[in-house]
Amino acid sequence: MDQKERLQAIIEEKRQAFITAADNIWGTPETRFATEKSVAQHYHILEQEGFALEKGVADMDYSYIATFGSGSPVIGILAEYDALGNLSQVADLPEKKPVEIGGNGHGCGHNLLGTGALAGAVAIKTLMEEENLKGTIKLFGCPAEESGYGKAFMARAGLFDSLDLALTWHPMDVTQAWGDSSLAVYQVYYEFHGTSAHAAAAPEQGRSALDAAELMNVGVQFLREHIIDEARVHYAFIDAGGESANVVQPTAKLYYFIRAPKLEQVEPIYQRINKIAEGAALMTETELTIDFDSACANYLPNPALTEAMHQNLKQVTPLELTAEEIAYEQKFFDTVPQVTKDTLYARAQNAFPTATEAELKEIATMPVNTKLFPYQITDKTAGSTDVGDVSWVVPTAQATIGCEVQGTPPHSWQWVATGKSSVAHKGMLMAGKMIAMTALDALLDPQLIEKAKAEHQQKLAGKTYQSPIPADVVPK
Ligand SMILES: [Zn+2]
């Protein structure tokens, strides 16, 4: 058995502990920074495995750094465990039905993500002990990936500065080393305060905060024509004043997400939106408070490390599914709309241009897509992730494991329903193996790290990471 086979065997030997932790986290879905029960599942394993544990880093109660070993290289592994609001869903049921109306749910598979990363850290630590390998492993427990951005606060606190590289993964409906970028984002609250008055008897005495919020949104609507195409600006009403239409609304609060491919492109849009908000306050004689919530940087994929992950994915794929598992997943695949299913053929064709029609049809109709997709380093973006901030500090790589129902998106009820299925577990363990194997590559091959660092410097082109989160903003 070679060292990489041994890593895989270690994860298989301890598989039940990881599965139990992931299922327990699924059962107590917690959002943003309030991940007390979820992180406890990680602590339980990390304490048993003998990691040095620093709890509550970067002003976040439920974050941690678990360390093993000493000296160079220093390899970071990133774990997440936060859930999403309003995504409660009965497990294993192929129809939308919440356990608790309005409750939280693991719609992004972070119960698997965090525990898979943890499995990777445990495996590489065990092998390092068995073979007396030199180096340091640091597993980061990162709350609030979905919104709030724990890693961005950790990056601001300099917690990734001592690393040589960072590795992570994400559950998805396709298996692929991740060569795309992500959007940088600022998240900001705009709160207006006016004066209430009888809306019919004394409207002249009222100053409407709701009017201010509406005027701000109209102003931003006009702004959209004068920003770069790739930017995205969206908002939610946190407070629309009240339910009484006969009152001039004295309060209103908006939550804005301002996104663009690069951090430096977000800042000028943010400044213009602030001016619009100030203008709305001026027009309505209301008071404006701007409350910066959080931010994260765009992701910089590292070619050398992403390639190393791809090579390791070749060794651990495909996910082997039983006939029973395929039948289970098929019931969920049946819920995917035809219009989405139609895109899966094109996706397969794009990835495998030389495949025959029959082969493409087979790939596009698998309830779980177990093919390893080729990857490309691109500037393509979709959502945002705080892995972006880590990628500015150190060379970073991540991969997706296709253990979700093909054609279903993140943040869907299907992801919650299948979040503790045996296929989800297999995907999680595969991710742990891939992370441990890539960590081993870095431990044994100083040239890989050198190459990754040279590429990282090239990508930064003289820039250094500046946290987009102002110094006075705390995680909340
Ligand atoms: Zn996610």
Side-chain angles (χ1 to χ4, degrees), residues 80 82 84 107-110 113 145-146 169-172 178 384-385 410-411 415:
E80 299 166 11
D82 59 320
L84 289 148
C108 210
H110 293 182
L113 195 169
E145 190 282 328
E146 292 296 351
W169 77 290
H170 204 293
M172 201 54 67
W178 192 329
S384 302
T385 170
H411 304 193
W415 280 43

Side-chain angles (χ1 to χ4, degrees), residues 138-421:
K138 280 182 182 284
L139 177 69
F140 292 81
C142 314
E145 190 282 328
E146 292 296 351
S147 175
Y149 307 128
K151 294 182 206 73
F153 284 102
M154 289 168 146
R156 188 182 68 173
L159 301 186
F160 302 115
D161 293 354
S162 67
L163 300 182
D164 288 297
L165 58 110
L167 307 171
T168 191
W169 77 290
H170 204 293
M172 201 54 67
D173 75 330
V174 69
T175 304
Q176 191 171 36
W178 192 329
D180 295 339
S181 187
S182 67
L183 294 168
V185 61
Y186 283 13
Q187 299 182 183
V188 188
Y189 292 105
Y190 294 90
E191 193 166 1
F192 295 94
H193 280 272
T195 309
S196 64
H198 194 294
E204 75 285 356
Q205 289 183 40
R207 295 292 178 270
S208 173
L210 181 58
D211 288 358
E214 294 218 78
L215 286 164
M216 176 181 170
N217 286 342
V218 171
V220 171
Q221 177 62 0
F222 278 93
L223 175 70
R224 284 194 179 90
E225 195 186 336
H226 303 285
I227 56 178
I228 54 170
D229 286 351
E230 301 80 9
R232 296 283 183 274
V233 181
H234 22 257
Y235 66 95
F237 264 99
I238 302 297
D239 173 20
E243 292 177 9
S244 304
N246 58 351
V247 174
V248 175
Q249 309 299 352
T251 60
K253 188 172 179 179
L254 293 163
Y255 191 23
Y256 263 78
F257 279 30
I258 309 161
R259 308 194 207 224
K262 294 193 167 69
L263 208 43
E264 65 262 30
Q265 295 167 326
V266 179
E267 177 67 24
I269 300 170
Y270 168 60
Q271 293 300 340
R272 293 199 68 185
I273 290 175
N274 286 353
K275 285 181 187 166
I276 290 169
E278 286 161 15
L282 193 64
M283 280 190 277
T284 51
E285 292 191 336
T286 55
E287 298 290 328
L288 167 69
T289 310
I290 300 174
D291 179 13
F292 198 103
D293 175 41
S294 195
C296 66
N298 50 299
Y299 178 63
L300 307 175
N302 184 270
L305 293 179
T306 308
E307 172 63 25
M309 274 196 166
H310 181 71
Q311 292 306 326
N312 287 316
L313 282 172
K314 278 187 186 170
Q315 287 191 47
V316 295
T317 51
L319 213 59
E320 305 276 0
L321 305 186
T322 64
E324 200 184 351
E325 285 170 337
I326 293 170
Y328 167 98
E329 298 286 338
Q330 182 67 45
K331 286 188 214 150
F332 290 91
F333 189 55
D334 290 343
T335 69
V336 175
Q338 192 55 45
V339 30
T340 304
K341 282 183 175 161
D342 292 344
T343 66
L344 301 176
Y345 186 90
R347 178 172 78 167
Q349 197 169 34
N350 195 31
F352 305 103
T354 58
T356 65
E357 203 182 319
E359 286 166 339
L360 293 173
K361 216 169 170 182
E362 194 197 324
I363 298 169
T365 54
M366 289 171 159
V368 174
N369 190 332
T370 55
K371 284 281 282 189
L372 173 61
F373 274 46
Y375 77 97
Q376 253 187 313
I377 301 291
T378 75
D379 287 329
K380 273 196 282 179
T381 60
S384 302
T385 170
D386 60 6
V387 180
D389 294 76
V390 186
S391 76
W392 275 77
V393 181
V394 289
T396 302
Q398 52 189 335
T400 62
I401 302 291
C403 55
E404 304 291 346
V405 181
Q406 183 164 214
T408 57
H411 304 193
S412 61
W413 65 265
Q414 290 96 334
W415 280 43
V416 191
T418 57
K420 48 180 187 171
S421 64

Side-chain angles (χ1 to χ4, degrees), residues 41-174:
Q41 295 295 325
H42 282 229
Y43 290 161
H44 179 68
I45 293 179
L46 289 164
E47 279 161 4
Q48 244 171 12
E49 293 289 341
F51 281 83
L53 202 47
E54 194 185 341
K55 298 179 181 177
V57 299
D59 292 326
M60 297 178 289
D61 287 345
Y62 309 118
S63 63
Y64 69 82
I65 303 175
T67 306
F68 170 76
S70 62
S72 296
V74 185
I75 297 168
I77 300 174
L78 310 174
E80 299 166 11
Y81 31 75
D82 59 320
L84 289 148
N86 209 9
L87 263 174
S88 171
Q89 167 66 32
V90 175
D92 305 320
L93 185 73
E95 64 182 76
K96 192 172 186 292
K97 187 181 176 195
V99 178
E100 178 196 349
I101 292 168
N104 299 333
H106 269 286
C108 210
H110 293 182
N111 60 314
L112 307 169
L113 195 169
T115 318
L118 170 66
V122 168
I124 190 68
K125 170 191 179 281
T126 308
L127 186 80
M128 287 167 78
E129 285 173 315
E130 288 174 358
E131 309 248 328
N132 216 1
L133 300 175
K134 275 193 62 176
T136 306
I137 301 298
K138 280 182 182 284
L139 177 69
F140 292 81
C142 314
E145 190 282 328
E146 292 296 351
S147 175
Y149 307 128
K151 294 182 206 73
F153 284 102
M154 289 168 146
R156 188 182 68 173
L159 301 186
F160 302 115
D161 293 354
S162 67
L163 300 182
D164 288 297
L165 58 110
L167 307 171
T168 191
W169 77 290
H170 204 293
M172 201 54 67
D173 75 330
V174 69

